[in-house]
Amino acid sequence: MWVLDTDHVSLIVRGDPQVAARLRQVAMQTTTTIITVQEFFNGWITQLNESDAKRTSSQQANEKREQILYQYRRLFLSVELIKTLPVLEFDVSACDRYEFLLQQHPLLRKKALQKDMRIAAIALSRNATVVTRNHRDFGQVPGLKIEDWTI
């Protein structure tokens, strides 16, 4: 089983041909996680709210319009992609793995790593491979299988 991290889902939404081709090859064994869904929606909501909050001159109105259309289009494509993938939940087994990881490996407790560690815990609890370009962070997790579809 392949678990796409947030970055790889973003690459698919942006139309990366290499990642999309690999996804087509193993689509039936490919999933993502509820953590990736959270990260996507947090990111899009933040961007859209910031766009709404910006005051613009009449000259900037067209640029703002294009930006909002672009952001909603990317959000729409993200939702459409996520609807095609099984989404793995952060269940009791994943939570247990997550807590164990943080207990046994204090360096993984950094706040910036928490969502990645939850993705890792979900993958570990299902003996799956995380598909990511983020070898620096995911590579710190003992026993986690990782693969990068961009290389």
Side-chain angles (χ1 to χ4, degrees), residues 18-55:
Q18 186 172 345
V19 176
R22 180 71 173 125
L23 176 62
R24 284 190 298 276
Q25 292 173 347
V26 294
M28 297 302 293
Q29 299 89 26
T30 305
T31 65
T32 192
T33 69
I34 194 65
I35 310 307
T36 290
V37 173
Q38 174 194 7
E39 289 184 304
F40 256 93
F41 286 110
N42 285 346
W44 287 119
I45 296 305
T46 298
Q47 286 184 35
L48 288 164
N49 286 341
E50 287 174 2
S51 292
D52 287 341
K54 291 178 185 173
R55 294 179 184 250

mmCIF file of all heavy atoms in Angstrom, residues 18-55:
data_model
loop_
_atom_site.group_PDB
_atom_site.id
_atom_site.type_symbol
_atom_site.label_atom_id
_atom_site.label_comp_id
_atom_site.label_asym_id
_atom_site.label_seq_id
_atom_site.Cartn_x
_atom_site.Cartn_y
_atom_site.Cartn_z
ATOM 1 N N GLN A 18 5.173 12.948 -14.057
ATOM 2 C CA GLN A 18 5.861 11.761 -13.549
ATOM 3 C C GLN A 18 5.094 11.144 -12.380
ATOM 4 O O GLN A 18 4.896 9.923 -12.328
ATOM 5 C CB GLN A 18 7.277 12.145 -13.114
ATOM 6 C CG GLN A 18 8.113 10.969 -12.698
ATOM 7 C CD GLN A 18 9.565 11.372 -12.471
ATOM 8 O OE1 GLN A 18 10.009 12.440 -12.872
ATOM 9 N NE2 GLN A 18 10.310 10.500 -11.829
ATOM 10 N N VAL A 19 4.642 11.978 -11.463
ATOM 11 C CA VAL A 19 3.893 11.476 -10.305
ATOM 12 C C VAL A 19 2.538 10.935 -10.750
ATOM 13 O O VAL A 19 2.096 9.881 -10.290
ATOM 14 C CB VAL A 19 3.757 12.574 -9.228
ATOM 15 C CG1 VAL A 19 2.899 12.089 -8.070
ATOM 16 C CG2 VAL A 19 5.135 13.009 -8.731
ATOM 17 N N ALA A 20 1.890 11.638 -11.669
ATOM 18 C CA ALA A 20 0.591 11.175 -12.175
ATOM 19 C C ALA A 20 0.722 9.830 -12.887
ATOM 20 O O ALA A 20 -0.136 8.956 -12.733
ATOM 21 C CB ALA A 20 -0.007 12.230 -13.097
ATOM 22 N N ALA A 21 1.798 9.646 -13.636
ATOM 23 C CA ALA A 21 2.015 8.373 -14.335
ATOM 24 C C ALA A 21 2.205 7.238 -13.342
ATOM 25 O O ALA A 21 1.640 6.143 -13.504
ATOM 26 C CB ALA A 21 3.229 8.480 -15.264
ATOM 27 N N ARG A 22 2.974 7.490 -12.311
ATOM 28 C CA ARG A 22 3.193 6.454 -11.276
ATOM 29 C C ARG A 22 1.882 6.138 -10.559
ATOM 30 O O ARG A 22 1.595 4.977 -10.284
ATOM 31 C CB ARG A 22 4.268 6.924 -10.298
ATOM 32 C CG ARG A 22 4.570 5.928 -9.211
ATOM 33 C CD ARG A 22 5.319 4.702 -9.767
ATOM 34 N NE ARG A 22 5.721 3.871 -8.659
ATOM 35 C CZ ARG A 22 5.404 2.583 -8.552
ATOM 36 N NH1 ARG A 22 4.737 1.972 -9.498
ATOM 37 N NH2 ARG A 22 5.787 1.896 -7.497
ATOM 38 N N LEU A 23 1.098 7.156 -10.267
ATOM 39 C CA LEU A 23 -0.195 6.946 -9.617
ATOM 40 C C LEU A 23 -1.082 6.051 -10.476
ATOM 41 O O LEU A 23 -1.734 5.138 -9.953
ATOM 42 C CB LEU A 23 -0.883 8.278 -9.337
ATOM 43 C CG LEU A 23 -2.296 8.185 -8.751
ATOM 44 C CD1 LEU A 23 -2.278 7.493 -7.389
ATOM 45 C CD2 LEU A 23 -2.908 9.575 -8.635
ATOM 46 N N ARG A 24 -1.105 6.287 -11.770
ATOM 47 C CA ARG A 24 -1.921 5.442 -12.658
ATOM 48 C C ARG A 24 -1.479 3.981 -12.599
ATOM 49 O O ARG A 24 -2.298 3.073 -12.701
ATOM 50 C CB ARG A 24 -1.862 5.966 -14.095
ATOM 51 C CG ARG A 24 -2.707 7.205 -14.325
ATOM 52 C CD ARG A 24 -2.832 7.562 -15.801
ATOM 53 N NE ARG A 24 -1.565 7.886 -16.438
ATOM 54 C CZ ARG A 24 -0.982 9.081 -16.408
ATOM 55 N NH1 ARG A 24 -1.556 10.076 -15.755
ATOM 56 N NH2 ARG A 24 0.174 9.282 -17.029
ATOM 57 N N GLN A 25 -0.174 3.731 -12.424
ATOM 58 C CA GLN A 25 0.344 2.363 -12.378
ATOM 59 C C GLN A 25 -0.114 1.618 -11.124
ATOM 60 O O GLN A 25 -0.303 0.406 -11.168
ATOM 61 C CB GLN A 25 1.873 2.365 -12.415
ATOM 62 C CG GLN A 25 2.462 2.815 -13.713
ATOM 63 C CD GLN A 25 3.978 2.950 -13.622
ATOM 64 O OE1 GLN A 25 4.565 2.935 -12.545
ATOM 65 N NE2 GLN A 25 4.615 3.084 -14.773
ATOM 66 N N VAL A 26 -0.229 2.323 -10.013
ATOM 67 C CA VAL A 26 -0.529 1.657 -8.738
ATOM 68 C C VAL A 26 -1.764 2.246 -8.048
ATOM 69 O O VAL A 26 -1.898 2.184 -6.829
ATOM 70 C CB VAL A 26 0.693 1.708 -7.785
ATOM 71 C CG1 VAL A 26 1.849 0.892 -8.333
ATOM 72 C CG2 VAL A 26 1.114 3.139 -7.499
ATOM 73 N N ALA A 27 -2.677 2.770 -8.829
ATOM 74 C CA ALA A 27 -3.835 3.481 -8.279
ATOM 75 C C ALA A 27 -4.628 2.639 -7.276
ATOM 76 O O ALA A 27 -5.088 3.167 -6.255
ATOM 77 C CB ALA A 27 -4.746 3.961 -9.402
ATOM 78 N N MET A 28 -4.777 1.369 -7.549
ATOM 79 C CA MET A 28 -5.605 0.528 -6.670
ATOM 80 C C MET A 28 -4.982 0.314 -5.297
ATOM 81 O O MET A 28 -5.684 -0.044 -4.354
ATOM 82 C CB MET A 28 -5.880 -0.828 -7.337
ATOM 83 C CG MET A 28 -6.672 -0.716 -8.628
ATOM 84 S SD MET A 28 -8.273 0.108 -8.434
ATOM 85 C CE MET A 28 -9.130 -1.085 -7.444
ATOM 86 N N GLN A 29 -3.685 0.530 -5.170
ATOM 87 C CA GLN A 29 -3.007 0.354 -3.881
ATOM 88 C C GLN A 29 -2.601 1.690 -3.255
ATOM 89 O O GLN A 29 -1.813 1.721 -2.319
ATOM 90 C CB GLN A 29 -1.747 -0.513 -4.045
ATOM 91 C CG GLN A 29 -1.982 -1.913 -4.544
ATOM 92 C CD GLN A 29 -1.960 -1.984 -6.069
ATOM 93 O OE1 GLN A 29 -1.349 -1.182 -6.740
ATOM 94 N NE2 GLN A 29 -2.673 -2.959 -6.608
ATOM 95 N N THR A 30 -3.131 2.795 -3.771
ATOM 96 C CA THR A 30 -2.697 4.114 -3.324
ATOM 97 C C THR A 30 -3.774 4.773 -2.478
ATOM 98 O O THR A 30 -4.958 4.745 -2.816
ATOM 99 C CB THR A 30 -2.349 5.009 -4.529
ATOM 100 O OG1 THR A 30 -1.373 4.330 -5.323
ATOM 101 C CG2 THR A 30 -1.786 6.336 -4.076
ATOM 102 N N THR A 31 -3.317 5.362 -1.373
ATOM 103 C CA THR A 31 -4.207 6.040 -0.435
ATOM 104 C C THR A 31 -3.584 7.381 -0.036
ATOM 105 O O THR A 31 -2.481 7.715 -0.446
ATOM 106 C CB THR A 31 -4.387 5.208 0.849
ATOM 107 O OG1 THR A 31 -3.121 5.133 1.527
ATOM 108 C CG2 THR A 31 -4.894 3.817 0.562
ATOM 109 N N THR A 32 -4.303 8.097 0.770
ATOM 110 C CA THR A 32 -3.752 9.251 1.473
ATOM 111 C C THR A 32 -4.304 9.179 2.895
ATOM 112 O O THR A 32 -4.914 8.183 3.272
ATOM 113 C CB THR A 32 -4.065 10.578 0.753
ATOM 114 O OG1 THR A 32 -3.260 11.620 1.329
ATOM 115 C CG2 THR A 32 -5.528 10.949 0.844
ATOM 116 N N THR A 33 -4.054 10.216 3.680
ATOM 117 C CA THR A 33 -4.488 10.169 5.077
ATOM 118 C C THR A 33 -5.361 11.368 5.420
ATOM 119 O O THR A 33 -5.338 12.392 4.727
ATOM 120 C CB THR A 33 -3.282 10.187 6.039
ATOM 121 O OG1 THR A 33 -2.667 11.479 5.979
ATOM 122 C CG2 THR A 33 -2.280 9.093 5.708
ATOM 123 N N ILE A 34 -6.070 11.231 6.494
ATOM 124 C CA ILE A 34 -6.888 12.334 6.991
ATOM 125 C C ILE A 34 -6.001 13.518 7.383
ATOM 126 O O ILE A 34 -6.448 14.666 7.336
ATOM 127 C CB ILE A 34 -7.797 11.878 8.163
ATOM 128 C CG1 ILE A 34 -8.883 12.910 8.458
ATOM 129 C CG2 ILE A 34 -6.972 11.552 9.408
ATOM 130 C CD1 ILE A 34 -9.864 13.089 7.318
ATOM 131 N N ILE A 35 -4.745 13.266 7.693
ATOM 132 C CA ILE A 35 -3.814 14.346 8.028
ATOM 133 C C ILE A 35 -3.555 15.196 6.781
ATOM 134 O O ILE A 35 -3.532 16.424 6.852
ATOM 135 C CB ILE A 35 -2.484 13.784 8.594
ATOM 136 C CG1 ILE A 35 -2.720 12.765 9.711
ATOM 137 C CG2 ILE A 35 -1.570 14.918 9.026
ATOM 138 C CD1 ILE A 35 -3.594 13.216 10.846
ATOM 139 N N THR A 36 -3.381 14.544 5.639
ATOM 140 C CA THR A 36 -3.200 15.278 4.385
ATOM 141 C C THR A 36 -4.446 16.093 4.061
ATOM 142 O O THR A 36 -4.350 17.248 3.642
ATOM 143 C CB THR A 36 -2.850 14.307 3.242
ATOM 144 O OG1 THR A 36 -1.528 13.811 3.495
ATOM 145 C CG2 THR A 36 -2.898 14.972 1.888
ATOM 146 N N VAL A 37 -5.620 15.516 4.272
ATOM 147 C CA VAL A 37 -6.864 16.262 4.055
ATOM 148 C C VAL A 37 -6.878 17.509 4.947
ATOM 149 O O VAL A 37 -7.192 18.612 4.488
ATOM 150 C CB VAL A 37 -8.103 15.370 4.311
ATOM 151 C CG1 VAL A 37 -9.381 16.187 4.255
ATOM 152 C CG2 VAL A 37 -8.141 14.215 3.317
ATOM 153 N N GLN A 38 -6.514 17.345 6.209
ATOM 154 C CA GLN A 38 -6.444 18.475 7.141
ATOM 155 C C GLN A 38 -5.482 19.547 6.636
ATOM 156 O O GLN A 38 -5.812 20.732 6.616
ATOM 157 C CB GLN A 38 -5.993 17.996 8.519
ATOM 158 C CG GLN A 38 -5.757 19.124 9.499
ATOM 159 C CD GLN A 38 -5.000 18.681 10.752
ATOM 160 O OE1 GLN A 38 -4.532 17.542 10.850
ATOM 161 N NE2 GLN A 38 -4.898 19.579 11.700
ATOM 162 N N GLU A 39 -4.283 19.115 6.218
ATOM 163 C CA GLU A 39 -3.285 20.083 5.756
ATOM 164 C C GLU A 39 -3.768 20.821 4.501
ATOM 165 O O GLU A 39 -3.566 22.028 4.374
ATOM 166 C CB GLU A 39 -1.949 19.389 5.476
ATOM 167 C CG GLU A 39 -1.251 18.952 6.740
ATOM 168 C CD GLU A 39 0.118 18.350 6.473
ATOM 169 O OE1 GLU A 39 0.220 17.389 5.688
ATOM 170 O OE2 GLU A 39 1.075 18.863 7.066
ATOM 171 N N PHE A 40 -4.417 20.099 3.602
ATOM 172 C CA PHE A 40 -4.934 20.741 2.401
ATOM 173 C C PHE A 40 -5.969 21.793 2.740
ATOM 174 O O PHE A 40 -5.893 22.927 2.270
ATOM 175 C CB PHE A 40 -5.557 19.698 1.465
ATOM 176 C CG PHE A 40 -4.693 19.388 0.303
ATOM 177 C CD1 PHE A 40 -3.808 18.337 0.359
ATOM 178 C CD2 PHE A 40 -4.744 20.156 -0.840
ATOM 179 C CE1 PHE A 40 -2.991 18.044 -0.706
ATOM 180 C CE2 PHE A 40 -3.924 19.873 -1.917
ATOM 181 C CZ PHE A 40 -3.046 18.817 -1.851
ATOM 182 N N PHE A 41 -6.940 21.414 3.541
ATOM 183 C CA PHE A 41 -7.999 22.364 3.833
ATOM 184 C C PHE A 41 -7.505 23.533 4.671
ATOM 185 O O PHE A 41 -7.906 24.668 4.434
ATOM 186 C CB PHE A 41 -9.198 21.661 4.460
ATOM 187 C CG PHE A 41 -9.967 20.875 3.436
ATOM 188 C CD1 PHE A 41 -9.952 19.494 3.452
ATOM 189 C CD2 PHE A 41 -10.661 21.509 2.423
ATOM 190 C CE1 PHE A 41 -10.622 18.772 2.483
ATOM 191 C CE2 PHE A 41 -11.335 20.802 1.449
ATOM 192 C CZ PHE A 41 -11.317 19.417 1.483
ATOM 193 N N ASN A 42 -6.616 23.278 5.608
ATOM 194 C CA ASN A 42 -6.038 24.392 6.371
ATOM 195 C C ASN A 42 -5.334 25.371 5.442
ATOM 196 O O ASN A 42 -5.484 26.589 5.574
ATOM 197 C CB ASN A 42 -5.049 23.888 7.427
ATOM 198 C CG ASN A 42 -5.725 23.265 8.621
ATOM 199 O OD1 ASN A 42 -6.917 23.400 8.829
ATOM 200 N ND2 ASN A 42 -4.940 22.559 9.416
ATOM 201 N N GLY A 43 -4.551 24.845 4.507
ATOM 202 C CA GLY A 43 -3.823 25.703 3.582
ATOM 203 C C GLY A 43 -4.737 26.511 2.687
ATOM 204 O O GLY A 43 -4.564 27.722 2.535
ATOM 205 N N TRP A 44 -5.729 25.852 2.089
ATOM 206 C CA TRP A 44 -6.626 26.568 1.180
ATOM 207 C C TRP A 44 -7.485 27.577 1.917
ATOM 208 O O TRP A 44 -7.698 28.698 1.423
ATOM 209 C CB TRP A 44 -7.496 25.595 0.393
ATOM 210 C CG TRP A 44 -6.718 24.868 -0.649
ATOM 211 C CD1 TRP A 44 -6.520 23.524 -0.736
ATOM 212 C CD2 TRP A 44 -5.984 25.438 -1.732
ATOM 213 N NE1 TRP A 44 -5.712 23.227 -1.808
ATOM 214 C CE2 TRP A 44 -5.368 24.387 -2.436
ATOM 215 C CE3 TRP A 44 -5.771 26.743 -2.174
ATOM 216 C CZ2 TRP A 44 -4.577 24.591 -3.559
ATOM 217 C CZ3 TRP A 44 -4.981 26.950 -3.291
ATOM 218 C CH2 TRP A 44 -4.403 25.877 -3.968
ATOM 219 N N ILE A 45 -7.991 27.218 3.087
ATOM 220 C CA ILE A 45 -8.829 28.142 3.845
ATOM 221 C C ILE A 45 -8.022 29.379 4.234
ATOM 222 O O ILE A 45 -8.495 30.504 4.117
ATOM 223 C CB ILE A 45 -9.426 27.444 5.090
ATOM 224 C CG1 ILE A 45 -10.363 26.307 4.655
ATOM 225 C CG2 ILE A 45 -10.135 28.436 5.996
ATOM 226 C CD1 ILE A 45 -11.466 26.702 3.707
ATOM 227 N N THR A 46 -6.785 29.174 4.669
ATOM 228 C CA THR A 46 -5.927 30.302 5.034
ATOM 229 C C THR A 46 -5.718 31.210 3.831
ATOM 230 O O THR A 46 -5.867 32.434 3.935
ATOM 231 C CB THR A 46 -4.569 29.796 5.567
ATOM 232 O OG1 THR A 46 -4.816 29.021 6.749
ATOM 233 C CG2 THR A 46 -3.639 30.943 5.898
ATOM 234 N N GLN A 47 -5.371 30.633 2.692
ATOM 235 C CA GLN A 47 -5.133 31.449 1.495
ATOM 236 C C GLN A 47 -6.384 32.200 1.059
ATOM 237 O O GLN A 47 -6.326 33.384 0.719
ATOM 238 C CB GLN A 47 -4.638 30.574 0.347
ATOM 239 C CG GLN A 47 -3.213 30.118 0.509
ATOM 240 C CD GLN A 47 -2.737 29.328 -0.702
ATOM 241 O OE1 GLN A 47 -3.118 29.619 -1.827
ATOM 242 N NE2 GLN A 47 -1.914 28.330 -0.456
ATOM 243 N N LEU A 48 -7.517 31.518 1.062
ATOM 244 C CA LEU A 48 -8.752 32.176 0.639
ATOM 245 C C LEU A 48 -9.163 33.275 1.616
ATOM 246 O O LEU A 48 -9.607 34.348 1.199
ATOM 247 C CB LEU A 48 -9.869 31.143 0.468
ATOM 248 C CG LEU A 48 -9.696 30.255 -0.762
ATOM 249 C CD1 LEU A 48 -10.594 29.036 -0.668
ATOM 250 C CD2 LEU A 48 -9.975 31.041 -2.036
ATOM 251 N N ASN A 49 -9.013 33.023 2.906
ATOM 252 C CA ASN A 49 -9.346 34.048 3.886
ATOM 253 C C ASN A 49 -8.427 35.257 3.759
ATOM 254 O O ASN A 49 -8.867 36.397 3.910
ATOM 255 C CB ASN A 49 -9.304 33.483 5.303
ATOM 256 C CG ASN A 49 -10.486 32.585 5.591
ATOM 257 O OD1 ASN A 49 -11.509 32.629 4.906
ATOM 258 N ND2 ASN A 49 -10.348 31.742 6.596
ATOM 259 N N GLU A 50 -7.142 35.020 3.500
ATOM 260 C CA GLU A 50 -6.211 36.133 3.299
ATOM 261 C C GLU A 50 -6.579 36.935 2.062
ATOM 262 O O GLU A 50 -6.507 38.164 2.067
ATOM 263 C CB GLU A 50 -4.771 35.619 3.192
ATOM 264 C CG GLU A 50 -4.193 35.163 4.506
ATOM 265 C CD GLU A 50 -2.816 34.522 4.374
ATOM 266 O OE1 GLU A 50 -2.277 34.459 3.241
ATOM 267 O OE2 GLU A 50 -2.283 34.076 5.405
ATOM 268 N N SER A 51 -6.993 36.262 1.000
ATOM 269 C CA SER A 51 -7.411 36.967 -0.217
ATOM 270 C C SER A 51 -8.623 37.835 0.044
ATOM 271 O O SER A 51 -8.713 38.964 -0.440
ATOM 272 C CB SER A 51 -7.740 35.965 -1.331
ATOM 273 O OG SER A 51 -6.575 35.312 -1.755
ATOM 274 N N ASP A 52 -9.572 37.317 0.822
ATOM 275 C CA ASP A 52 -10.769 38.082 1.142
ATOM 276 C C ASP A 52 -10.453 39.294 2.006
ATOM 277 O O ASP A 52 -11.099 40.334 1.899
ATOM 278 C CB ASP A 52 -11.801 37.205 1.858
ATOM 279 C CG ASP A 52 -12.460 36.218 0.914
ATOM 280 O OD1 ASP A 52 -12.405 36.435 -0.316
ATOM 281 O OD2 ASP A 52 -13.031 35.233 1.401
ATOM 282 N N ALA A 53 -9.454 39.163 2.860
ATOM 283 C CA ALA A 53 -9.139 40.231 3.806
ATOM 284 C C ALA A 53 -8.353 41.375 3.179
ATOM 285 O O ALA A 53 -8.341 42.476 3.707
ATOM 286 C CB ALA A 53 -8.354 39.656 4.991
ATOM 287 N N LYS A 54 -7.690 41.121 2.064
ATOM 288 C CA LYS A 54 -6.866 42.147 1.437
ATOM 289 C C LYS A 54 -7.743 43.226 0.806
ATOM 290 O O LYS A 54 -8.661 42.936 0.057
ATOM 291 C CB LYS A 54 -5.967 41.531 0.358
ATOM 292 C CG LYS A 54 -4.885 40.644 0.890
ATOM 293 C CD LYS A 54 -4.078 40.058 -0.256
ATOM 294 C CE LYS A 54 -3.053 39.063 0.267
ATOM 295 N NZ LYS A 54 -2.373 38.374 -0.830
ATOM 296 N N ARG A 55 -7.414 44.451 1.114
ATOM 297 C CA ARG A 55 -8.082 45.567 0.444
ATOM 298 C C ARG A 55 -7.346 45.826 -0.861
ATOM 299 O O ARG A 55 -6.134 45.770 -0.916
ATOM 300 C CB ARG A 55 -8.051 46.821 1.312
ATOM 301 C CG ARG A 55 -8.875 46.664 2.569
ATOM 302 C CD ARG A 55 -8.786 47.931 3.383
ATOM 303 N NE ARG A 55 -9.494 47.741 4.626
ATOM 304 C CZ ARG A 55 -10.636 48.342 4.912
ATOM 305 N NH1 ARG A 55 -11.163 49.199 4.077
ATOM 306 N NH2 ARG A 55 -11.235 48.115 6.058
#
